């Protein structure tokens, strides 16, 4: 179980532009401040990720996503409210709020309200959404425990929050909010 001191250390690391690792619903993930240029660039380097792909943002509640949801027609809020919290990532039209490395080469931003209690606590302690992307080098399988994370990233991370995966066997489903099409099932 994660202690308050471990959570505080992770939040300090995030606020100082660090990249951290923590368990999520299905795999271990890397997280950082979605507005910090250096943190996002470091995350892309660590993963050897193509910046054009973008990353997912996770939040503890839909309220934390309000800055990303302004200008979204009210009718499009219903699917979000009905499916969150849970393993549903939605591609939402970007209203200009998203950092270019979060959005990538897309006109939409990927958002999910997590039902993983540790990720919720982390987002709440941080005060808003965080980047959440699988803890792996691009093309490799995602880490499923803290030892795997340490083996891949060594001391390159600002913090590793020990904890349990959320029990989902697969990463979240990704759907386009406007078209309803499934991008990842």
């Amino acid at each position: 179980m994660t202690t308050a001191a471990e959570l505080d250390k992770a939040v300090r690391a995030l606020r100082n532009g660090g990249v951290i690792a923590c368990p999520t619903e299905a795999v271990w993930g890397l997280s950082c401040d979605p507005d910090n240029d250096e943190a996002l660039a470091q995350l892309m380097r660590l993963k050897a990720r193509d910046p054009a792909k973008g990353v997912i943002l996770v939040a503890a509640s839909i309220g934390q996503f309000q800055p990303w949801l302004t200008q979204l027609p009210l009718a499009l809020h219903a699917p979000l409210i009905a499916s969150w919290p849970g393993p549903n990532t939605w591609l939402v039209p970007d209203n200009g709020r998203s950092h270019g490395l979060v959005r990538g080469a897309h006109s939409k931003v990927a958002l999910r309200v997590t039902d993983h209690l540790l990720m919720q606590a982390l987002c709440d302690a941080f005060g808003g959404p965080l980047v959440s992307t699988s803890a792996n080098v691009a093309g490799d399988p995602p880490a499923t425990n803290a030892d795997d994370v340490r083996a891949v990233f060594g001391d390159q991370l600002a913090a590793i929050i020990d904890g349990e995966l959320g029990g989902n066997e697969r990463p979240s489903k990704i759907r386009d909010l406007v078209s309803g099409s499934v991008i990842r099932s």
Side-chain angles (χ1 to χ4, degrees):
M1 183 161 175
T2 302
T3 66
E6 290 170 317
L7 200 58
D8 288 344
K9 177 185 175 189
V11 169
R12 277 194 311 277
L14 290 164
R15 290 191 178 133
N16 289 328
V19 176
I20 68 165
C22 53
T24 68
E25 295 88 345
V27 298
W28 272 69
L30 298 179
S31 291
C32 71
D33 179 343
D35 294 319
N36 186 301
D37 294 334
E38 291 178 29
L40 288 163
Q42 180 187 10
L43 178 87
M44 298 298 170
R45 282 192 305 272
L46 286 169
K47 285 185 59 82
R49 184 176 179 88
D50 177 357
K53 288 187 172 185
V55 290
I56 294 172
L57 296 184
V58 297
S61 67
I62 194 170
Q64 290 185 336
F65 279 138
Q66 284 313 308
W68 285 264
L69 300 177
T70 61
Q71 303 173 19
L72 186 68
L74 282 178
L76 291 178
H77 285 245
L80 303 177
I81 294 166
S83 67
W84 285 343
N88 300 291
T89 298
W90 290 95
L91 299 178
V92 176
D94 181 44
N95 63 7
R97 170 62 182 85
S98 301
H99 189 288
L101 288 175
V102 169
R103 189 181 59 257
H106 309 284
S107 62
K108 296 178 180 172
V109 60
L111 307 176
R112 179 174 77 250
V113 174
T114 183
D115 61 359
H116 190 277
L117 296 178
L118 178 56
M119 282 302 299
Q120 287 178 342
L122 184 60
C123 290
D124 278 338
F126 180 71
L130 293 167
V131 168
S132 182
T133 184
S134 57
N136 62 310
V137 174
D140 291 348
T144 56
N145 59 59
D147 289 338
D148 289 349
V149 171
R150 288 181 187 96
V152 173
F153 298 107
D155 62 357
Q156 298 178 84
L157 300 173
I160 297 176
I161 303 176
D162 283 317
E164 299 296 321
L165 293 176
N168 293 0
E169 292 187 19
R170 302 172 55 97
S172 65
K173 179 185 285 189
I174 299 177
R175 291 183 282 180
D176 185 286
L177 184 61
V178 174
S179 71
S181 62
V182 175
I183 309 305
R184 178 178 77 191
S185 59

